[in-house]
Amino acid sequence: MNPVWRLAAKQIRSQWRRSDWLTLMLSLFMMITLVTLLTTTSDRLYQSLTAQSADILGADLVLRSHSPIAADKLLQLQTLQLKASIVTQFISMAESEEASVLSTIRAINNPYPVRGKITTEPSSHPAIPASGSVWVDNSLLSRLELKLGDTLLLGYSEFLISHILLDSPDRGSGFSNFNPQVIMREDQLQATGIIAPGSRANYRLLVRGNKQQISQLQAQWKGQLSKGQRLINASDDSQLDGSSVANASRYLKLSALLSLLLGAVAILLSLQRYSSDQRTRSALLLSLGMTPRQLLYIYSLQLFVGWLAAALLGTLIGLGLHQLIANQIGDYLPNIASLSPLSVFTSPLLALAILFILGLPTLLPLGKVSILQMLRNEKQLSTKRWHYVSCAALLLVAISLYMGSILLASGITLLLLVLGSLAGFSAQRMLVFAVTKLQGRIALAPLLKLRLRQQRHWHKLQAGVFSLLLAIMAVLFFVRGDLIEQWQSQLPKDSPNHFAINIQPWEKDRLQQWMLDQQIKAKLYPIVRGRINQVNNKPVKQVLSTEQNHTRALHRELNLTWQTQLTDANSIIAGSWDPLIAGVSIEQGLSESLGLKVGDTLGLSIAGEQLVTPITSIRKVNWGSFKPNFFLIYTPNLLEQFPSTYITSFNINEQQRDKSTLLVKTFPTITLIDIDKLFKQAQDIINKLADSASVVMLLTLFSGILMLFTILQQELAQRRYEGALLQTLGASERQTRQLDLLEFLLLGATCGSIAAIIAELLLALMSARLFNLPVIAHPLLWISLPIIATVTFTLIGNLVRSKLSLSQCYGLLKAG
Amino acid sequence: MQSVPPLAIDAQRLSKSFPSSTTGSLDGDISLFSNLDLQINKGESVAIIGPSGTGKSTLLSLLACLDTPTSGSVTLSGVDLNALGQEQKAAWRAKNISFVFQSFHLLPELTALENTQLPLDIQGTKNSEQQAQQWLQAVGLEPRVNHFPAQLSGGEQQRVAIARAFVTQPTLLFADEPTGNLDTNTGDKIIDLLFNFSAKTQATLVLITHDKHLASRCDRMFSLADGQLTEAVN
């Protein structure tokens, strides 16, 4: 065996129990475990979410159009060998001999769907309905009192009901997807006579492809869209945005970034301690004829082996923990994606990069250690300032690669660096101030003053890192709390779990009475449909920019309503709501997309007529309230002249289950949407996500404590030396202990207070920018952080310092 | 005509000063010594004595080419090491120079035998184990070859260090207070070993010490004080 290898092997074996090496390994292991857990979980959540989104859409990319889709598009896809299909969807009456129900009908071609699958009863079914037959929702059968094998009338054609639709993707958007659904063959559509020129129908081109093909296609088609056409990408962030799962995924990713930063700092500090202790050894090896290159080789090998051990163990435990979480939430995520190898290897590879990025600049100076070190006991560290700068820069690159966004990673890293430096500087000033105030009041004050002067550089670093660490932990804790609160507040106990739509004006009073009789609380909202076509009396195309003209709300009919009093899901953020002053209140997001403000006028085309109204207020809407919400709410007396229907939402509890069936029987033309099942699933997944967030929180907390140990262990030797010196000069062991404790106490209190300020700032920033949560103050933080910091610092400080007898003191001083 | 063999160490007009920024002094550079000349013949043993802080260790580091002088030159066996590249310098040093330190400096994870054979292994010498074994036998540690440093006494550790220093058969041996951490009795035995081996291998020995009695056993003795190096009469 090569002697250098042999020495490396012996060195690795003998050094693995050194406390500085162990701290390094533990930091590395914690970082790998945490980042593996967070990366895999976040990645899998996101993948599942995308897959789920594709399954709901029935495709990876959908081209939606109000007019028939040109056949050449389909041909183009066929030449590219992409799976694609065209669907025509429309609303029509489905009839039996006795009754008729408003239904949403899909006329499809083979293949269908291109993603996800249709579940029917009986379970085996051909690719598309056989000629002359249709597949229908169960609710249609019960409303029409039909069964499998009966005949259904659509337009002029009669169809055999061959299958019951249990589940199907591509149900369409808007309210139409809540109507009972019917699937038929497209080649039999013409015979029904339902679709004639001018008929309202939706056309969809469904495409299946890999990520690259889809984005190419999307980019190509984007410029060719005609009026009334829209492209929907299943993996588009906007499809997933705002959902609790997307927020959870973001929370995990953010936790991963913070774990990376924590780990990187812990690794840097323990590496420095390690390399400083290796100086004499390096000098000896150099004096024995080893070249700097061989020396660096030995240390790199040792780092690599250390990494390998930490990576194996960390990845395994990280994956184990991930599996636990995946098992918990897997039931609630249909199509839980398989674990991507990239997400498994990201963490260990990133740790390797960080270890060498931080390790090489720290270990390189070992090759230049002077053999003089052996003659004189030189302790000076030769790590230069540029090393830290290059470390920070390289670290940033690594983190950017991981986050996939240089901007986000550099923003966060820069912010933390600036905050850390500021915190360190302020803490040191505050400590000096506190000790000045203590002069003359306590006996140890002069010694404490000296200690602060000796340790000032170290205090800056210690306080900077610790304040940041505490702030980050607090942020993770409170963001988790805020998120869970937001998730749960989305679903209060008596949230409506049913929607009723298509309520005709003549049924309104009878329905209200029926609800009253059944003791169901429900408020009915009128709906009038209209399309925005003017802003400040000019056509939207002229007034708005190209980007604004792409706003979705401009390309479809909006549901409008009128109210006397706004519901509690609406809060006015500009202007005012006065039902006596004619005007319209616009939703905040829409007003921002269109650049509208209070005082502008909005023109809508409603049932062929033009209605121009001034905007009197802008509202923030809680879209998750499970109540009917509207982009535009008019004051009374403006919309009443137009044809309207009504909508309502209400809660039916377990004991009232039969009332939904009764409602549909009593009012056959009403469309009833049961969201109770969805609601329960959402509640469950939120609880599971909250549990997962707690696991993440606990693990991050543990790595935080580990880092505190690392910080306090730095310069421990010097502290012991000083303590020994003081004791031999006449101080008692009790006094040196008190001095240490006083120092830790002050440091802890200072760090805690600074951490509270940083945490509150970060929380506000993240709530507003990242999670779309309201910015609130956290009084608990201001009380708890200083207390926690003081107690932790004092406790851990006490743990790492050891009692010295006088004879030990002499020994220590003699050894130099 | 018979050619004169080069000196083992030839130091000419050696000066060493430190910039004031490293000492905190405002009065320009601090000079430790200037214009020192020292010639040491092959196989000779030389002691450098003097009070603390006079620069004995610094002079040793200059003589061993571990440090560069502010001015002046050092040649070892006729070779100007400062003119060599880093790698060549390290290789030359590994082959020709050995050190014995006050604090032994053995690697804790290696046995006495492994510590002794380490420099040979680094140089890639064959039969390193055999040679190391012979030297450990010579220093009287044969029964303890497989012991780790922690299992050896101070004197035994220094004997391992001496075996390690001689195993490469150096032409130059620098010893910095080799008995500083040992009692007089053990120290004397160690010094006996050093002198015997130096004589046997014809190595040039440069010894830094406080101990005049020890220094008097060398062929020549120099005293470094107030920046002046003067040869003391033995």
Side-chain angles (χ1 to χ4, degrees), chain A residues 71 83 195 256 312 347 371 453 466 474 516 574 638 686-687 726 733 766:
Chain A
K83 201 171 172 186
I195 300 286
L312 278 175
S347 168
I371 303 173
R453 199 184 299 158
F466 188 65
L516 220 58
L638 289 168
I686 280 163
N687 289 338
L726 282 178
E733 204 281 326
M766 284 161 73

Side-chain angles (χ1 to χ4, degrees), chain B residues 33-112:
Chain B
F33 43 76
S34 59
N35 296 326
L36 295 189
D37 288 317
L38 180 63
Q39 281 76 37
I40 302 174
N41 295 315
K42 283 200 167 174
E44 199 177 10
S45 61
V46 167
I48 297 169
I49 58 169
S52 299
T54 46
K56 296 190 301 288
S57 294
T58 307
L59 180 60
L60 184 139
S61 68
L62 292 178
L63 295 179
C65 293
L66 298 178
D67 199 1
T68 42
T70 315
S71 66
S73 68
V74 179
T75 53
L76 303 179
S77 305
V79 180
D80 179 5
L81 254 65
N82 289 322
L84 300 180
Q86 281 291 329
E87 296 275 325
Q88 290 165 302
K89 200 168 162 179
W92 196 92
R93 219 166 27 210
K95 199 162 172 264
N96 296 287
I97 302 181
S98 279
F99 295 91
V100 175
F101 306 102
Q102 180 176 353
S103 316
F104 326 136
H105 291 305
L106 300 179
L107 293 185
E109 74 272 20
L110 303 185
T111 60

Side-chain angles (χ1 to χ4, degrees), chain A residues 308-371:
Chain A
L308 201 64
L312 278 175
L313 207 62
T315 310
L316 275 179
I317 294 182
L319 282 178
L321 287 169
H322 161 75
Q323 205 48 49
L324 279 181
I325 292 180
N327 286 346
Q328 290 273 298
I329 55 179
D331 298 344
Y332 302 92
L333 281 178
N335 310 312
I336 180 118
S338 56
L339 208 54
S340 87
L342 190 69
S343 71
V344 178
F345 293 120
T346 302
S347 168
L349 289 180
L350 206 64
L352 183 67
I354 286 180
L355 186 65
F356 277 88
I357 285 169
L358 299 178
L360 288 184
T362 325
L363 294 177
L364 270 175
L366 286 180
K368 290 185 185 146
V369 163
S370 163
I371 303 173

